[in-house]
Amino acid sequence: MMRRPMVLVMAACAGAACFSEHEPDLTDGGLTCERAELPAGPDSAIVVIRGFAYTPAHLTVAPGTRIVWVNCEPEGTAGHTTTAEDGSWDSQTLVRGDVFSTEAPGPGVHEYFCRPHPFIRGQIVVADGALAQGEARLARR
């Protein structure tokens, strides 16, 4: 009879171990997106789409940084894109939980917007040096 409770305890512990890794924090306010996937490695930055805005709207990164957009709008909200003004990237329409990523384009200021909602705008500054790396680290928090 002790065997059944022990099996349940072991199953509960195994289940807890599966969920013990923390889901990454994807926004400034502690919001996490259930289906978001972060790329491996330290050279990435996250932009969250929520409240019909990109957060952060202005991002400075080093060349080669992987930039990841995650749609964290409530279920049923119209989809969004991330589309570079210069055509260097253009995502599919992202609905809640969808992810799009691209490597930072060449050095300079890169403006982008949402095709269905052109008032949603963002800016990525690709700059060499420690400043860009420090700001990219802050964006990952």
Side-chain angles (χ1 to χ4, degrees), residues 83-139:
T83 305
E85 291 278 351
D86 66 5
S88 56
W89 75 85
D90 186 14
S91 74
Q92 73 279 12
T93 300
L94 307 172
V95 296
R96 176 171 179 70
D98 283 349
V99 176
F100 172 79
S101 72
T102 190
E103 188 172 305
V109 177
H110 303 276
E111 304 284 337
Y112 66 96
F113 64 99
C114 172
R115 274 185 281 112
H117 311 102
F119 59 90
I120 303 174
R121 304 198 62 82
Q123 180 184 74
I124 297 172
V125 177
V126 181
D128 288 318
L131 173 65
Q133 291 173 358
E135 288 192 30
R137 269 195 305 276
L138 289 174

Side-chain angles (χ1 to χ4, degrees), residues 1 8 20 22 25 44-45 64 78 103-104 108-109 121:
M1 294 226 168
L8 292 175
S20 65
H22 293 82
D25 184 8
S44 62
E103 188 172 305
V109 177
R121 304 198 62 82

Side-chain angles (χ1 to χ4, degrees), residues 7-59:
V7 169
L8 292 175
V9 168
M10 289 173 51
C13 290
C18 289
F19 297 104
S20 65
E21 291 187 24
H22 293 82
E23 185 176 355
D25 184 8
L26 299 177
T27 67
D28 301 22
L31 173 72
T32 59
C33 296
E34 302 82 22
R35 293 171 35 207
E37 296 180 36
L38 290 175
D43 298 323
S44 62
I46 304 295
V47 177
V48 172
I49 305 169
R50 184 166 188 246
F52 284 79
Y54 299 118
T55 305
H58 304 283
L59 181 64

